[in-house]
Amino acid sequence: MHTEADAMEAEVERFAGPAEAAGYRRLRHWLEQLYRAQMRRFIDTNFDSPLQLLTPDLARLAALGGFGRLDARIGRHLRDERLRRVFSFQSLYAGVPPARALAAYAVIAYMDTVAGVYFPRGGMHALPQAMADAAARAGADLRFGRDVVRLERSGNRVTAVVTADERIACDAVVLTPDLPVVHRLLGRAPRRPLRIRHAPSAVVLHAGTDRTWPELAHHTLSFGAAWHSTFDELTRTGELMSDPSLLITRPTATDPTLAPPGRHLHYVLAPCPNTDIGPDAAAWGELGPRYRDGVLRELERRGFDGIATAVEDETLVTPADWHGQGHAAGTPFSAAHTFAQTGPFRPRNLVRGTDNAVLAGCGTTPGVGVPTVLLSGKLAAARVTGRTAAAPAARRGHSALVTPEGTSS
């Protein structure tokens, strides 16, 4: 994969011929139009009513086919099934199979393949660390590793965040854990006509190895052949993938300093059903190690010789771990981006019955993924500071941010 258009077109032509290369050019143009139609009005915006959708950009999105099905729309440009997968699998990030996802979700493929993917040197943790450093320079008082016990209220206002060992007074509070934790702290959950449907989860093996494989880039996708049945297993029947599609990430390809000299860092991500429809959290205690072994055997079968014996240090993360961290349905990807859980229909970042609490994170608007979660923080800040007409009646003063790992005030 290449972000630069000419390089990617040449690669598609080498791989699948000139007709598909021309189709890629048309697809790229469509993805760019789709992004421009969505970004300002549908992604980077605070919704207070579905009526906010009624803008010229809605007509543009409809004209671009954004309300059709993703795989069919990609198929208008690319006939090669392998290439169609490359530009449609991203809908699983949003918790919806390509056959059922709105074509509008091709905007994720735009971010992946046109805008480009960046990796912070020092590993992904360098991103939140840089943000924390900037916040501290701006005057934030950061308190890490503090368990939030409860929120104090006076009428419709949160007046303080109470941890295990201190009380932090606040004029506004921003809550970023997953929705069940937020609702527990607030003592209320919003009424919805339909129960929230959650995205699939994932098993992730983080492995330090004594070797690597030359065919592995920073990110490598290994698709199984059973494409459609895999999505049914993940989102409908609740079974583990019978022919898994896997993401293998080798961050030391970009930043060798993440491992000791002569060693390599890999992680293998295997999508799996969430605990609402698949094995529950308790079952993963026994299932996890067996599934880990099965995934490594499958990678051996696909040509990664010796991968199991190359592992010197490892951490296995399963839905049980996500569940233990407070993620609903044992998934870190929160509410799936179905039509009824997207845009103005997604859980709002304002909390009914509370005047000065705002949500951020993947469970609220605009949704799942690093770019969109960062935008959720921007949108939450706009609510607190009053930069939008719909901001809550929060007095200027101290704000408390409650994260999955502690508080910041």
Side-chain angles (χ1 to χ4, degrees), residues 22 43 53 62 92 100 112 142 154 164 179 205 321 327 333 360-361 377 405:
I43 299 174
L53 291 172
L92 194 61
R100 304 203 302 269
D112 246 10
L142 304 174
S154 176
L179 295 176
L205 173 64
D321 297 291
H327 291 285
F333 307 114
E405 297 180 357

PDB file of all heavy atoms in Angstrom, residues 22 43 53 62 92 100 112 142 154 164 179 205 321 327 333 360-361 377 405:
ATOM      1  N   ALA A  22      -6.930   2.028 -13.316  1.00  0.00           N
ATOM      2  CA  ALA A  22      -7.834   3.131 -13.650  1.00  0.00           C
ATOM      3  C   ALA A  22      -8.993   3.185 -12.658  1.00  0.00           C
ATOM      4  O   ALA A  22      -9.437   4.272 -12.257  1.00  0.00           O
ATOM      5  CB  ALA A  22      -8.353   2.960 -15.079  1.00  0.00           C
ATOM      6  N   ILE A  43     -18.763  14.696  11.021  1.00  0.00           N
ATOM      7  CA  ILE A  43     -17.748  14.103  11.903  1.00  0.00           C
ATOM      8  C   ILE A  43     -17.286  15.126  12.938  1.00  0.00           C
ATOM      9  O   ILE A  43     -17.399  14.908  14.143  1.00  0.00           O
ATOM     10  CB  ILE A  43     -16.554  13.567  11.078  1.00  0.00           C
ATOM     11  CG1 ILE A  43     -17.019  12.468  10.119  1.00  0.00           C
ATOM     12  CG2 ILE A  43     -15.467  13.031  12.015  1.00  0.00           C
ATOM     13  CD1 ILE A  43     -15.940  11.979   9.162  1.00  0.00           C
ATOM     14  N   LEU A  53     -28.658  17.475  10.388  1.00  0.00           N
ATOM     15  CA  LEU A  53     -28.202  16.766   9.197  1.00  0.00           C
ATOM     16  C   LEU A  53     -28.666  17.455   7.917  1.00  0.00           C
ATOM     17  O   LEU A  53     -28.115  17.211   6.837  1.00  0.00           O
ATOM     18  CB  LEU A  53     -28.717  15.325   9.209  1.00  0.00           C
ATOM     19  CG  LEU A  53     -28.136  14.375  10.262  1.00  0.00           C
ATOM     20  CD1 LEU A  53     -28.892  13.067  10.250  1.00  0.00           C
ATOM     21  CD2 LEU A  53     -26.649  14.141  10.010  1.00  0.00           C
ATOM     22  N   ALA A  62     -25.523  12.117  -0.283  1.00  0.00           N
ATOM     23  CA  ALA A  62     -26.478  11.241  -0.951  1.00  0.00           C
ATOM     24  C   ALA A  62     -26.131  11.088  -2.428  1.00  0.00           C
ATOM     25  O   ALA A  62     -26.183   9.981  -2.987  1.00  0.00           O
ATOM     26  CB  ALA A  62     -27.891  11.783  -0.782  1.00  0.00           C
ATOM     27  N   LEU A  92     -15.054  -2.788   9.551  1.00  0.00           N
ATOM     28  CA  LEU A  92     -15.058  -3.582  10.778  1.00  0.00           C
ATOM     29  C   LEU A  92     -14.526  -2.766  11.952  1.00  0.00           C
ATOM     30  O   LEU A  92     -14.878  -3.029  13.103  1.00  0.00           O
ATOM     31  CB  LEU A  92     -14.231  -4.865  10.604  1.00  0.00           C
ATOM     32  CG  LEU A  92     -14.430  -5.919  11.690  1.00  0.00           C
ATOM     33  CD1 LEU A  92     -15.879  -6.396  11.735  1.00  0.00           C
ATOM     34  CD2 LEU A  92     -13.489  -7.090  11.511  1.00  0.00           C
ATOM     35  N   ARG A 100     -22.989  -4.727   5.032  1.00  0.00           N
ATOM     36  CA  ARG A 100     -24.084  -4.041   5.711  1.00  0.00           C
ATOM     37  C   ARG A 100     -23.739  -2.608   6.082  1.00  0.00           C
ATOM     38  O   ARG A 100     -24.602  -1.857   6.540  1.00  0.00           O
ATOM     39  CB  ARG A 100     -24.484  -4.803   6.986  1.00  0.00           C
ATOM     40  CG  ARG A 100     -24.871  -6.248   6.750  1.00  0.00           C
ATOM     41  CD  ARG A 100     -25.759  -6.801   7.861  1.00  0.00           C
ATOM     42  NE  ARG A 100     -25.179  -6.734   9.179  1.00  0.00           N
ATOM     43  CZ  ARG A 100     -24.452  -7.699   9.742  1.00  0.00           C
ATOM     44  NH1 ARG A 100     -24.188  -8.804   9.064  1.00  0.00           N
ATOM     45  NH2 ARG A 100     -23.984  -7.569  10.964  1.00  0.00           N
ATOM     46  N   ASP A 112      -7.146   5.904   5.868  1.00  0.00           N
ATOM     47  CA  ASP A 112      -6.143   4.841   5.829  1.00  0.00           C
ATOM     48  C   ASP A 112      -5.209   4.970   4.630  1.00  0.00           C
ATOM     49  O   ASP A 112      -3.994   4.822   4.756  1.00  0.00           O
ATOM     50  CB  ASP A 112      -6.851   3.483   5.738  1.00  0.00           C
ATOM     51  CG  ASP A 112      -6.652   2.632   6.983  1.00  0.00           C
ATOM     52  OD1 ASP A 112      -6.140   3.151   7.979  1.00  0.00           O
ATOM     53  OD2 ASP A 112      -7.005   1.450   6.933  1.00  0.00           O
ATOM     54  N   LEU A 142      -2.186  17.182  36.550  1.00  0.00           N
ATOM     55  CA  LEU A 142      -2.476  15.804  36.161  1.00  0.00           C
ATOM     56  C   LEU A 142      -2.327  14.869  37.355  1.00  0.00           C
ATOM     57  O   LEU A 142      -1.297  14.876  38.040  1.00  0.00           O
ATOM     58  CB  LEU A 142      -1.533  15.373  35.037  1.00  0.00           C
ATOM     59  CG  LEU A 142      -1.540  16.267  33.795  1.00  0.00           C
ATOM     60  CD1 LEU A 142      -0.470  15.825  32.805  1.00  0.00           C
ATOM     61  CD2 LEU A 142      -2.902  16.257  33.140  1.00  0.00           C
ATOM     62  N   SER A 154     -24.923  18.456  43.190  1.00  0.00           N
ATOM     63  CA  SER A 154     -25.846  19.378  43.845  1.00  0.00           C
ATOM     64  C   SER A 154     -26.904  19.728  42.806  1.00  0.00           C
ATOM     65  O   SER A 154     -26.618  20.463  41.855  1.00  0.00           O
ATOM     66  CB  SER A 154     -25.126  20.640  44.326  1.00  0.00           C
ATOM     67  OG  SER A 154     -26.056  21.550  44.881  1.00  0.00           O
ATOM     68  N   ALA A 164     -10.241   7.772  45.646  1.00  0.00           N
ATOM     69  CA  ALA A 164     -10.066   6.984  46.866  1.00  0.00           C
ATOM     70  C   ALA A 164      -9.432   7.799  47.979  1.00  0.00           C
ATOM     71  O   ALA A 164      -9.607   7.471  49.161  1.00  0.00           O
ATOM     72  CB  ALA A 164      -9.212   5.751  46.554  1.00  0.00           C
ATOM     73  N   LEU A 179     -19.117   3.718  28.214  1.00  0.00           N
ATOM     74  CA  LEU A 179     -20.427   4.168  28.699  1.00  0.00           C
ATOM     75  C   LEU A 179     -20.881   3.519  30.010  1.00  0.00           C
ATOM     76  O   LEU A 179     -21.447   4.216  30.860  1.00  0.00           O
ATOM     77  CB  LEU A 179     -21.470   3.952  27.604  1.00  0.00           C
ATOM     78  CG  LEU A 179     -21.258   4.806  26.346  1.00  0.00           C
ATOM     79  CD1 LEU A 179     -22.287   4.460  25.284  1.00  0.00           C
ATOM     80  CD2 LEU A 179     -21.322   6.292  26.673  1.00  0.00           C
ATOM     81  N   LEU A 205      -2.075 -10.360  20.668  1.00  0.00           N
ATOM     82  CA  LEU A 205      -0.846 -10.926  21.221  1.00  0.00           C
ATOM     83  C   LEU A 205       0.285  -9.945  20.959  1.00  0.00           C
ATOM     84  O   LEU A 205       0.654  -9.689  19.807  1.00  0.00           O
ATOM     85  CB  LEU A 205      -0.525 -12.272  20.558  1.00  0.00           C
ATOM     86  CG  LEU A 205       0.828 -12.884  20.947  1.00  0.00           C
ATOM     87  CD1 LEU A 205       0.878 -13.233  22.430  1.00  0.00           C
ATOM     88  CD2 LEU A 205       1.144 -14.099  20.088  1.00  0.00           C
ATOM     89  N   ASP A 321      -9.922  -9.097  29.392  1.00  0.00           N
ATOM     90  CA  ASP A 321      -9.146  -7.934  29.835  1.00  0.00           C
ATOM     91  C   ASP A 321      -9.889  -6.636  29.526  1.00  0.00           C
ATOM     92  O   ASP A 321      -9.915  -5.709  30.351  1.00  0.00           O
ATOM     93  CB  ASP A 321      -7.779  -7.930  29.153  1.00  0.00           C
ATOM     94  CG  ASP A 321      -6.954  -9.150  29.529  1.00  0.00           C
ATOM     95  OD1 ASP A 321      -6.529  -9.242  30.691  1.00  0.00           O
ATOM     96  OD2 ASP A 321      -6.763 -10.022  28.661  1.00  0.00           O
ATOM     97  N   HIS A 327     -14.914  -1.955  29.715  1.00  0.00           N
ATOM     98  CA  HIS A 327     -15.469  -1.837  28.372  1.00  0.00           C
ATOM     99  C   HIS A 327     -16.702  -2.728  28.244  1.00  0.00           C
ATOM    100  O   HIS A 327     -16.651  -3.933  28.508  1.00  0.00           O
ATOM    101  CB  HIS A 327     -14.440  -2.251  27.324  1.00  0.00           C
ATOM    102  CG  HIS A 327     -13.296  -1.293  27.204  1.00  0.00           C
ATOM    103  ND1 HIS A 327     -13.416  -0.075  26.587  1.00  0.00           N
ATOM    104  CD2 HIS A 327     -12.013  -1.375  27.633  1.00  0.00           C
ATOM    105  CE1 HIS A 327     -12.255   0.553  26.628  1.00  0.00           C
ATOM    106  NE2 HIS A 327     -11.384  -0.216  27.257  1.00  0.00           N
ATOM    107  N   PHE A 333     -13.948  -1.374  21.203  1.00  0.00           N
ATOM    108  CA  PHE A 333     -14.459  -0.588  20.079  1.00  0.00           C
ATOM    109  C   PHE A 333     -15.864  -0.061  20.330  1.00  0.00           C
ATOM    110  O   PHE A 333     -16.491   0.485  19.429  1.00  0.00           O
ATOM    111  CB  PHE A 333     -14.396  -1.418  18.801  1.00  0.00           C
ATOM    112  CG  PHE A 333     -13.031  -1.987  18.540  1.00  0.00           C
ATOM    113  CD1 PHE A 333     -12.810  -3.361  18.572  1.00  0.00           C
ATOM    114  CD2 PHE A 333     -11.961  -1.151  18.305  1.00  0.00           C
ATOM    115  CE1 PHE A 333     -11.549  -3.888  18.352  1.00  0.00           C
ATOM    116  CE2 PHE A 333     -10.685  -1.669  18.078  1.00  0.00           C
ATOM    117  CZ  PHE A 333     -10.481  -3.046  18.107  1.00  0.00           C
ATOM    118  N   ALA A 360     -16.593  12.263  26.398  1.00  0.00           N
ATOM    119  CA  ALA A 360     -15.645  12.155  25.286  1.00  0.00           C
ATOM    120  C   ALA A 360     -15.218  10.690  25.214  1.00  0.00           C
ATOM    121  O   ALA A 360     -15.503   9.897  26.110  1.00  0.00           O
ATOM    122  CB  ALA A 360     -14.442  13.071  25.488  1.00  0.00           C
ATOM    123  N   GLY A 361     -14.534  10.327  24.134  1.00  0.00           N
ATOM    124  CA  GLY A 361     -14.118   8.937  23.981  1.00  0.00           C
ATOM    125  C   GLY A 361     -14.883   8.233  22.879  1.00  0.00           C
ATOM    126  O   GLY A 361     -15.684   8.838  22.154  1.00  0.00           O
ATOM    127  N   GLY A 377     -12.584  14.830  22.017  1.00  0.00           N
ATOM    128  CA  GLY A 377     -12.054  15.734  23.034  1.00  0.00           C
ATOM    129  C   GLY A 377     -12.213  17.188  22.643  1.00  0.00           C
ATOM    130  O   GLY A 377     -12.553  18.046  23.464  1.00  0.00           O
ATOM    131  N   GLU A 405      -8.192   5.803  33.448  1.00  0.00           N
ATOM    132  CA  GLU A 405      -7.071   5.508  34.327  1.00  0.00           C
ATOM    133  C   GLU A 405      -6.917   6.479  35.492  1.00  0.00           C
ATOM    134  O   GLU A 405      -5.976   6.398  36.248  1.00  0.00           O
ATOM    135  CB  GLU A 405      -5.777   5.510  33.510  1.00  0.00           C
ATOM    136  CG  GLU A 405      -5.773   4.414  32.439  1.00  0.00           C
ATOM    137  CD  GLU A 405      -4.501   4.425  31.639  1.00  0.00           C
ATOM    138  OE1 GLU A 405      -3.652   5.310  31.864  1.00  0.00           O
ATOM    139  OE2 GLU A 405      -4.343   3.545  30.772  1.00  0.00           O
TER     140      GLU A 405
END
